[in-house]
Amino acid sequence: MEIKKKDIRALSKEQLRDFFVEQGEKAFRGNQVYEWLWQKSAHSFDGMTNVSKETRKMLEDNFVINHIQVDQMQRSSDGTIKNAVRLHDGLVVESVLIPTDTRTTACVSSQVGCSLDCKFCATARLKRMRNLNPDEIYDQVVAIDNESRLYFNRPLSNIVFMGMGEPLMNYNNVLKAIEKITSPEGLGMSPKRIIVSTSGVPKIIKKMADEEVKFGLAVSLHSAIDEVRTSIMPFNATFPLKDLREALEYWYSKTKNRITYEYVIWEGINDTPEAANALVKFCKFAPSKVNLIEYNPIDDGEFQQASNDSVDMYKKILERNGITVTVRRSRGKDIDAACGQLANKK
Ligand code: SAH
């Protein structure tokens, strides 16, 4: 019977060094192989030219190198690129490259499907199938960095965890991926250019604060009134606004990082001055920025983007209270690559 080979990319550098020592080789071989696996994104042991043939064979006998595969790439008329990414077990997630004049942002997935049940989000309909491993998150970033160099002649500049899944429900793997992305032995990106977006898991937000993470935090709020929020984001019943707010205050007290809120205004749901004032009240405790994002219809018309007048009304009320506001237009809509549209349609 053939023994199942282990995924070598699940090993830390220390574990890889230990493995070589156990095999009677020098520990630094572990560093060399680690560099091939991460910095050089090697897909096979064959190409590891500074490693002897015998060692390569030994690695081959013990391990596999799992890698994502970009199955399909779609380009939007606005330059946005969506990758359908096949994982080693055949499941598929999506990631998106969003170009502006000066930046390239990667929007990456953290889970296959999602366990949250936001009524307005296409990913919610897939349910959660599994968490992504750190290497599967890292590989999405590498793929987009390569595409950015190829099509825009510049490296990737920013990363947002706003693809499929709830990053804080897969926190350990997301953190490991970010460690590799920011490490000089990985991509060497600054954590300041990374934003993790969450629907709000209070316990994990506090944990991040305690660990004094250096990346940014965005919260998908959409309503600062419990009753309304629970009706559109049912998990709010488990993690009510009071707990979320308390966790965010703790986050701010530890990190002194401004908090970004993502917020869609829907007709008949949260398009009143009362709703806007509740938002002001919720986020006033710390320097905040509110991104008013455009709704991307996913279905039957249960949700409708509010009028421009409602958006202006929010903007005025927020700005009057010293809160920074941006109104964000969607990108990549024609290829279903915009916020909330990732659902493996193809
Ligand atoms: N689970 C994380 C990451 C997903 S991010 C989170 O909730 O933050 C995706 C962002 O797009 C979130 O802010 C989400 O609320 C928003 N979104 C979901 N569906 C959308 C839709 N149909 N139109 C616009 N934004 C949507």
Side-chain angles (χ1 to χ4, degrees):
M1 195 186 80
E2 204 187 335
I3 34 161
K4 201 164 174 286
K5 295 181 193 176
K6 277 201 234 135
D7 174 12
I8 193 166
R9 298 174 85 212
L11 301 187
S12 67
K13 191 161 88 181
E14 286 61 45
Q15 288 169 324
L16 206 49
R17 285 168 58 91
D18 290 348
F19 172 79
F20 276 97
V21 174
E22 279 161 28
Q23 300 292 318
E25 295 210 33
K26 295 268 188 305
F28 82 91
R29 291 273 170 227
N31 298 27
Q32 288 178 320
V33 171
Y34 192 83
E35 196 177 305
W36 279 109
L37 292 174
W38 295 101
Q39 207 167 33
K40 298 181 188 156
S41 279
H43 282 55
S44 75
F45 295 110
D46 281 348
M48 300 185 178
T49 44
N50 58 356
V51 179
S52 75
K53 236 185 167 164
E54 295 74 54
T55 305
R56 279 172 357 217
K57 166 90 174 48
M58 181 272 287
L59 289 170
E60 192 91 49
D61 291 341
N62 283 278
F63 297 108
V64 290
I65 306 178
N66 285 340
H67 249 282
I68 64 159
Q69 198 178 327
V70 177
D71 252 13
Q72 192 196 28
M73 193 195 103
Q74 285 173 278
R75 291 191 81 176
S76 158
S77 53
D78 68 17
T80 302
I81 295 176
K82 180 168 84 171
N83 292 334
V85 168
R86 184 169 298 275
L87 310 172
H88 67 90
D89 56 1
L91 291 173
V92 176
V93 293
E94 293 174 334
S95 27
V96 183
L97 178 160
I98 308 153
T100 65
D101 289 347
T102 51
R103 294 175 170 195
T104 300
T105 300
C107 174
V108 298
S109 294
S110 55
Q111 298 181 313
V112 188
C114 189
S115 60
L116 303 185
D117 43 9
C118 304
K119 298 296 178 212
F120 46 82
C121 179
T123 307
R125 302 193 173 162
L126 296 175
K127 306 295 170 214
R128 190 193 78 97
M129 285 171 263
R130 72 169 170 85
N131 285 338
L132 293 191
N133 297 325
D135 55 294
E136 293 169 328
I137 297 170
Y138 182 87
D139 287 353
Q140 291 177 65
V141 174
V142 171
I144 290 185
D145 185 37
N146 290 338
E147 287 168 351
S148 182
R149 288 168 199 270
L150 184 64
Y151 297 110
F152 301 94
N153 288 314
R154 62 187 186 213
L156 175 68
S157 58
N158 298 73
I159 302 173
V160 293
F161 281 80
M162 295 188 189
M164 293 173 159
E166 168 49 52
L168 298 199
M169 299 276 197
N170 184 21
Y171 179 63
N172 289 339
N173 288 351
V174 166
L175 198 64
K176 278 188 195 156
I178 292 178
E179 275 163 17
K180 294 219 156 71
I181 291 164
T182 53
S183 151
E185 287 171 324
L187 298 177
M189 274 182 76
S190 163
K192 295 209 173 65
R193 292 174 172 275
I194 301 175
I195 293 178
V196 171
S197 175
T198 179
S199 286
V201 187
K203 211 172 75 190
I204 308 290
I205 293 174
K206 284 188 179 164
K207 192 172 156 158
M208 285 164 60
D210 283 332
E211 288 169 359
E212 291 178 27
V213 298
K214 297 287 179 285
F215 49 82
L217 178 67
V219 178
S220 303
L221 197 62
H222 303 309
S223 172
I225 300 170
D226 267 315
E227 208 188 330
V228 177
R229 195 166 192 258
T230 301
S231 73
I232 54 176
M233 302 169 81
F235 73 91
N236 185 69
T238 319
F239 305 122
L241 287 165
K242 183 173 123 318
D243 297 355
L244 176 59
R245 158 85 185 242
E246 190 211 321
L248 292 173
E249 281 190 45
Y250 187 70
W251 158 271
Y252 183 70
S253 74
K254 288 273 185 177
T255 65
K256 294 284 176 268
N257 273 347
R258 178 170 82 168
I259 301 166
T260 300
Y261 296 94
E262 288 149 278
Y263 202 100
V264 178
I265 310 170
W266 290 283
E267 208 177 284
I269 293 179
N270 57 358
D271 58 348
T272 59
E274 185 202 358
N277 285 315
L279 172 59
V280 169
K281 210 171 146 213
F282 183 88
C283 57
K284 241 185 155 177
F285 68 93
S288 312
K289 177 180 162 194
V290 173
N291 283 331
L292 295 175
I293 55 185
E294 190 186 351
Y295 176 57
N296 303 304
I298 56 163
D299 59 7
D300 33 29
E302 191 193 335
F303 290 90
Q304 301 271 353
Q305 165 72 37
S307 66
N308 289 340
D309 284 351
S310 304
V311 175
D312 289 343
M313 177 268 293
Y314 259 81
K315 201 165 179 284
K316 267 201 208 107
I317 293 181
L318 290 165
E319 281 173 349
R320 207 195 297 138
N321 284 280
I323 297 165
T324 309
V325 188
T326 59
V327 178
R328 270 204 328 225
R329 297 265 135 238
S330 281
R331 305 285 306 272
K333 259 197 206 179
D334 54 341
I335 53 167
D336 281 331
C339 292
Q341 291 188 316
L342 302 183
N344 295 345
K345 265 199 206 159
K346 291 275 159 128

